[in-house]
């Protein structure tokens, strides 16, 4: 009898990876390059906010929707609702309607006291009711307005590391770990079996969110992917990279093809 091989880890493309183009371009490029699916970043792009429009793009290109990134950035605090609880609930509803298995969400901001107090219970409630994985993402500290060059503070409650609280599911973002100067492999160990989603990107350790093509920074991108295989990881890997400086569609496509090749190579695919 031949051994049963583990299923391949799906590799998706975040719609944020084609910014400033709209989400439709991500579906087209994902289909053209051979990505396994798309993560929809819900933000200013009207398509990303419209479940019916996202479904049409998925059907048109034949590219499934792997995950929804809840509008939890500073610049998305008014999208769908000014209430962060409503935004998270709508994200889970969108994921259910679109057949996505995961919702990515950031920890609460420090000033979101009511939301922060209820966040853990809310995540548990929504996961139990929907069957959708709500994967809380690691973050990084930022320079405060008027602060010194080396001053850094956390805008998140209680910290930038979601394992400080403990959740069922986590997203590990390697651009964020670079900006936080956090050991990504140690963070993956702390996340343990709860690690269900990876935002694959790179960074150089400067205190900002670079989202470089993997292999262009100093993060252990290859090592993490190889660890996922050896650990029989059952989640998803999504390329969330920065291509905003691409001048042409071909240039953007080359960058995203390189990112996909890196992922498949180190996942043994």
């Amino acid at each position: 009898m031949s051994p049963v091989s583990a299923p391949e880890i799906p590799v998706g493309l975040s719609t944020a990876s084609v910014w400033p183009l709209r989400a439709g371009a991500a579906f087209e490029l994902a289909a053209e390059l051979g990505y396994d699916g798309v993560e929809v970043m819900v933000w200013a792009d009207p398509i990303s906010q419209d479940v019916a429009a996202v479904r049409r793009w998925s059907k048109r290109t034949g590219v499934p929707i792997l995950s929804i990134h809840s509008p939890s950035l500073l610049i998305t605090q008014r999208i769908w609702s000014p209430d962060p609880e409503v935004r998270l609930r709508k994200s889970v509803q969108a994921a259910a309607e679109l057949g996505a298995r995961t919702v990515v969400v950031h920890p609460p901001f420090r000033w979101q006291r009511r939301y922060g107090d209820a966040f853990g219970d809310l995540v548990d409630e929504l996961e139990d009711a929907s069957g959708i994985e709500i994967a809380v993402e690691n973050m990084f500290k930022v320079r405060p307005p008027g602060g010194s060059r080396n001053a850094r503070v956390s805008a998140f409650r209680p910290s930038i590391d979601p394992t400080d609280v403990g959740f069922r599911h986590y997203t590990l973002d390697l651009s964020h770990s670079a900006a936080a100067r956090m050991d990504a492999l140690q963070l993956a160990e702390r996340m343990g079996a709860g690690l269900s989603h990876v935002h694959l990107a790179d960074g150089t350790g400067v205190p900002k969110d670079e989202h470089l093509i993997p292999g262009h920074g100093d993060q252990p991108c290859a090592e993490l992917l190889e660890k996922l295989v050896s650990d029989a990881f059952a989640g998803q890997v999504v390329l969330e990279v920065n291509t905003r400086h691409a001048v042409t569609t071909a240039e953007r496509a080359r960058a995203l093809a390189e990112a996909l090749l890196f992922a498949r190579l180190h996942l043994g695919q």
Side-chain angles (χ1 to χ4, degrees):
M1 177 182 294
S2 61
V4 177
S5 60
E8 286 192 349
I9 296 168
V11 180
L13 178 66
S14 170
T15 59
S17 297
V18 304
W19 187 86
L21 302 183
R22 293 189 175 184
F27 279 93
E28 290 176 332
L29 280 165
E32 176 185 340
L33 298 173
Y35 279 84
D36 296 315
V38 158
E39 174 172 301
V40 177
M41 168 73 83
V42 181
W43 57 359
D45 174 6
I47 294 173
S48 73
Q49 302 172 32
D50 186 335
V51 170
V54 170
R55 184 185 293 111
R56 286 194 295 271
W57 273 107
S58 178
K59 288 184 176 179
R60 183 182 307 172
T61 58
V63 175
I65 298 148
L66 302 179
S67 46
I68 301 293
H69 195 309
S70 177
S72 42
L73 302 172
L74 270 176
I75 61 171
T76 61
Q77 294 299 291
R78 310 292 295 184
I79 289 174
W80 281 347
S81 170
D83 185 334
E85 178 178 336
V86 173
R87 292 198 300 273
L88 182 53
R89 289 185 180 277
K90 286 181 71 70
S91 299
V92 172
Q93 180 181 351
E97 291 180 17
L98 292 168
R101 95 176 231 186
T102 304
V103 167
V104 177
V105 66
H106 294 176
F109 287 114
R110 289 167 60 186
W111 53 85
Q112 295 173 323
R113 294 185 179 180
R114 182 176 63 83
Y115 176 60
D117 287 343
F119 184 68
D121 290 337
L122 174 63
V123 168
D124 286 344
E125 173 208 324
L126 291 173
E127 287 194 319
D128 288 341
S130 68
I132 303 294
E133 296 176 357
I134 301 177
V136 185
E137 189 169 10
N138 61 297
M139 301 305 296
F140 57 96
K141 293 182 178 181
V142 296
R143 182 177 176 180
S148 67
R149 182 176 180 180
N150 295 320
R152 295 291 180 270
V153 297
S154 172
F156 300 96
R157 179 180 179 185
S159 77
I160 61 174
D161 183 350
T163 68
D164 287 344
V165 176
F167 296 96
R168 295 183 201 173
H169 299 103
Y170 300 102
T171 296
L172 173 53
D173 186 305
L174 284 98
S175 178
H176 293 179
S177 63
R181 297 184 179 177
M182 186 180 293
D183 187 312
L185 295 176
Q186 289 183 5
L187 179 56
E189 288 290 342
R190 292 198 297 278
M191 290 178 170
L195 175 57
S196 62
H197 202 73
V198 172
H199 278 168
L200 183 60
D202 215 331
T204 62
V206 297
K208 65 178 183 179
D209 202 5
E210 296 177 283
H211 284 286
L212 303 178
I213 301 296
H216 289 230
D218 61 10
Q219 288 299 284
C221 297
E223 294 90 336
L224 177 68
L225 294 175
E226 291 160 8
K227 173 180 168 54
L228 295 180
V229 175
S230 66
D231 290 350
F233 177 69
Q236 304 165 327
V237 171
V238 169
L239 271 299
E240 191 182 69
V241 295
N242 177 1
T243 66
R244 69 178 181 269
H245 297 302
V247 176
T248 65
T249 299
E251 185 179 350
R252 177 174 284 108
R254 282 194 297 271
L256 296 178
E258 178 187 342
L260 177 60
L261 179 61
F262 184 100
R264 294 221 187 278
L265 174 66
H266 293 289
L267 289 171
Q269 300 175 3

